[in-house]
Amino acid sequence: MCGIIGVVGMPNAASALVKGLKRLEYRGYDSAGIAVVTGKGLEIQRAVGAVANLERQAAPLGTVGIGHTRWATHGPPTEANSHPHRDCSERLAVVHNGIVENYQELREGLQARGHRLLSQTDTEVLAHLIEERYHGDLLAAVQETLPLIEGSYGLVVVSADAPDRIVCARMRSPLLLGVGQGQMLLASDATALLEHTRSVVFLEDGETAELTQERVRLFDAHRKPKIPVVRELPWNLEAAEKGGFDHFMLKEIHEIPEALHEVFRGRLGMAGDRFDVEGALPESALRGAQRILVLACGTSYYAGMVGRSIVEQLAGVPVDVQLASEYRYAPQTTQEGTLAIFVSQSGETADTLEAMRRARASGCRTLAMVNVVGSTLAREAEGVFYLRAGPEIGVASTKAFVNMVGGFYLLGLHLGATRGHLTPDECKRLAGEMRTLPRLAQRALETAGDVAPLAGEFFHGAEHAFYLGRQINHGLAMEGALKIKEISYLHAEGYAAGELKHGPLALLTPDFPVVVALSDKEPTYGVMVSNIGEVRARGAKVLAIATETDANVHKHVDHVVRVPASDPLFYPVPACVALYLLAYHAARGRGCNIDRPRNLAKSVTVE
Ligand code: AGP
């Protein structure tokens, strides 16, 4: 989950590294560090905390270097545990993203052979193992070290004895190379490269590469040379900047209408007969699926829960949604006839990737629903549906969730149309409504835009909260609760509203706020109102995210945040805009670090 970067041929490598690290900070912010090749050898700078702490130090001068921003896995966030890590000679430095699972054993061996290890990290062993194998060829030393490592790595190495190059390797941890004019770069994420180039090469598992100013030498897992395939990234730098907003999260909430427009662009045929999948997945695997299995983590899992309701309603296909982190270890059953859909913003979530490999081994057809172009999930699944939400930097996922839901609307419409579950007239009506969703989200930004004072007042003094919804709004409630807990540190649980009376109702007191997501046209509106009554009877206060046409709800709750009315199938779109604004303002009122919540990272590349 750490961020890594490397540059060759930069007039000021240190400043390019620090700038790149700032763009990678969402991957980890426990510490940061750089190593630059200078006339004196290797100059290393490291600092605990944000990259800004590193920036205060005088920059070493050189054109080649590597950098790292850390999300701690082995050893606390101290300077000694910060990357880059050195070998005994201090002429070689390594940055690493991933986990060396057998590091304890490797460490003991190194110590027995006289190496001095100075940190508690798993990474440091890599520097010493490469040192032992370095006899004038850095690439060969790295390639000879890799078979000793069990685990995952995005690994970058620089040496004062090979001052014109950096060497990298990848195994289950993202890494891409940036090809510039007289400059070569690499990073764990595209956002760190965009300032310099949009031409990139994605590394595959087992591959190694050597970058010099003029060329990239790429090798496959058997150390055979390979021709790098250069692809153009569809994003620009502006899309990765804050654009005048105080936080990336707020900017990304405001980008929801545009993101939705993009997910539907060119994909909303009247007849619903198209579903835009790239790759080798045949149309028959979609159309003929007897069952759909959605696998994902966190917010993407909740998007899958919403997606289940959409696809079951529109297409009549049974959909199961499972946590990728559980599925990957569950007993294996034959799943022929199952279309497995992997939902992910980053496309690099370790559990989702492993779940995909597992599902494929069980006979599922595999489709990735992914935002990051060229990510591992996108490349490994048989087919990929791109979410087109643009770069999402805030650790709390927002616009990507909405586009995942958008993707399920398209899939539901497509399957409903092609399997004859929807009539042509119904398809036409639904496609028309989908076309209005960006506008609906835009209106929700307006109707819920002034929620800041209410967010402060409603959660004031509370330590716990419930978020309730039914059916399609159950996943939405889960997502609302996750958002507030991850950015404001308020403990919140999402519940299917009917479940409260089976236990959790016992927790309610007047200090226990409850948020309900309900649409006036949903079939379960009446029972939702009864559930609200049960909650209020215990003295708890209730805030409803309700539609503008709901003339009844205010009689039953303490506060109402209005969103534009729609078919209840589409209510999750405007409602999540309101839930995101509520969470954002509650966190802001509590003085939390919204874009970088404690203990979290944007992309969870460890299990
Ligand atoms: C959401 O706000 C999260 N920070 C997190 O739950 C995230 O959705 C999860 O880690 C999955 O990430 P992915 O979509 O990149 O696979």
Side-chain angles (χ1 to χ4, degrees), residues 373-393:
V373 175
S375 55
T376 311
L377 255 179
R379 282 177 292 134
E380 286 194 18
E382 288 172 274
V384 54
F385 172 88
Y386 280 119
L387 297 171
R388 299 186 187 161
E392 191 180 70
I393 308 294

Side-chain angles (χ1 to χ4, degrees), residues 1 249 295-302 342-353 369-372 377 387 392 394-398 400-401 404 479 482-483 486-487 580 597 600-605:
M1 325 237 277
M249 180 180 178
L295 293 161
C297 299
T299 282
S300 305
Y301 172 75
Y302 299 137
F342 305 87
V343 187
S344 175
Q345 189 289 127
S346 62
E348 302 294 350
T349 302
D351 286 321
T352 311
L353 275 167
M369 230 185 221
V370 162
N371 192 36
V372 176
L377 255 179
L387 297 171
E392 191 180 70
V395 166
S397 190
T398 52
F401 171 83
M404 289 165 188
E479 167 64 357
L482 174 64
K483 218 56 28 169
E486 75 180 318
I487 61 168
Y580 289 159
L600 298 182
K602 179 72 179 160
S603 197
V604 187
T605 52

Side-chain angles (χ1 to χ4, degrees), residues 21-35:
L21 288 179
K22 282 192 165 166
R23 294 191 201 288
L24 293 175
E25 246 183 331
Y26 61 90
R27 293 189 64 100
Y29 28 84
D30 288 331
S31 66
I34 58 170

Side-chain angles (χ1 to χ4, degrees), residues 25 39 57 254 271 273 278 297 312 427 457 495 502 512 560:
E25 246 183 331
Q57 305 180 19
H254 280 82
D273 50 2
E278 291 179 30
C297 299
E312 288 190 341
C427 291
E457 179 200 327
Y495 257 95
H502 297 290
F512 204 123
V560 187

